Amino acid sequence: EVQLLESGGGLVQPGGSLRLSCAASGFTFTNYAMGWVRQAPGKGLEWVSSIFPGGDRTYYADSVKGRFTISRDDSRNTVYLQMNSQRAEDAAIYYCAKYGTVVTPYHLDFWGQGTRVTVSS
Amino acid sequence: IQMTQSPSSLSASVGDRVTITCRASQSISNHLHWYQQKPGRAPNLLIYAASSLHSGVPSRFTGSGSGTDFTLTINSLKPEDFATYYCQQSYGTPWTFGQGTKVEIK
């Protein structure tokens, strides 16, 4: 059974940093790309970032480029999202998700339950 | 790539057939996926590659379309189907979602 368990959310001040983690199990982690999607309170879904097997291919939404960094540790079956220079508009539930395929069309077939990030002074 | 869903919300009764449309601002071939989200829960994949049913998803959910126009149809709506539905394209980065369609009980 695929499981994705996010952690690391919480309250951060504007301009501050936070690192989210997503521990994966139930599938061969090294074979799959992983992504982060966020949802601001009462709003829709926004793709944030993705990382492909091996970690050499990473992609970011324009809204977080240069501030967020995605990484993976295949020895720990974990994907991370380092969030720096936090802004009020970064406040959201952050979902970790697994890619459903190693070829296109890529989609997200399993999602974690999310971790909440609040940005406030 | 902008994704536009319609309607933004709808009211329907148990047993109804419901159709939600999603339009892309440019051709995305079949790189279109549908997710269901219930309040307070993570999204769940329903349909991928425009028309392929994700494992475990009931067959009353069907997807169709290619290019720029896509539809999600729910045949014979059940109580557990009242939720918000999102389309998403993965043809190019940034991946983008539609704004969502909330299906409410009439």
Side-chain angles (χ1 to χ4, degrees):
Chain A
E1 178 192 4
V2 172
Q3 292 195 349
L4 300 171
L5 185 60
E6 302 98 334
S7 60
L11 175 65
V12 61
Q13 293 187 338
S17 298
L18 211 57
R19 188 178 82 157
L20 306 183
S21 301
C22 171
S25 61
F27 64 100
T28 305
F29 182 76
T30 53
N31 289 350
Y32 288 90
M34 300 292 294
W36 289 93
V37 175
R38 69 184 181 184
Q39 186 169 36
K43 302 297 185 183
L45 301 170
E46 179 188 16
W47 170 78
V48 174
S49 182
S50 295
I51 186 167
F52 278 70
D56 56 337
R57 288 169 58 197
T58 58
Y59 301 91
Y60 299 92
D62 288 345
S63 58
V64 307
K65 201 172 294 182
R67 300 187 299 120
F68 289 12
T69 302
I70 191 170
S71 61
R72 61 191 295 158
D73 183 342
D74 289 348
S75 69
R76 297 178 182 271
N77 285 3
T78 300
V79 61
Y80 304 97
L81 186 68
Q82 177 67 44
M83 304 186 296
N84 298 333
S85 303
Q86 292 263 275
R87 304 168 180 168
E89 56 265 34
D90 294 325
I93 296 173
Y94 284 73
Y95 295 104
C96 167
K98 166 189 168 290
Y99 276 47
T101 177
V102 297
V103 296
T104 61
Y106 299 122
H107 54 277
L108 300 170
D109 66 346
F110 288 97
W111 298 57
Q113 287 308 299
T115 187
R116 184 179 298 273
V117 173
T118 302
V119 183
S120 175
S121 55
Chain B
I1 301 172
Q2 307 274 6
M3 306 302 295
T4 304
Q5 284 181 237
S6 61
S8 296
S9 65
L10 65 89
S11 295
S13 300
V14 172
D16 285 352
R17 171 186 286 183
V18 167
T19 298
I20 299 168
T21 65
C22 180
R23 175 164 288 177
S25 61
Q26 67 179 72
S27 178
I28 57 172
S29 184
N30 69 334
H31 297 220
L32 188 284
H33 322 292
W34 292 97
Y35 301 87
Q36 176 195 67
Q37 187 180 34
K38 297 180 181 179
R41 304 291 297 274
N44 288 312
L45 177 67
L46 296 174
I47 302 285
Y48 64 95
S51 59
S52 296
L53 194 67
H54 180 51
S55 175
V57 174
S59 59
R60 63 181 179 274
F61 292 92
T62 60
S64 64
S66 183
T68 61
D69 294 308
F70 302 86
T71 61
L72 172 69
T73 300
I74 311 172
N75 289 292
S76 191
L77 203 64
K78 292 192 179 296
E80 58 265 35
D81 300 335
F82 293 95
T84 299
Y85 294 84
Y86 294 93
C87 63
Q88 177 241 325
Q89 67 80 21
S90 61
Y91 187 78
T93 55
W95 285 7
T96 42
F97 290 85
Q99 80 278 17
T101 296
K102 187 173 184 179
V103 177
E104 298 176 298
I105 302 173
K106 182 182 286 184

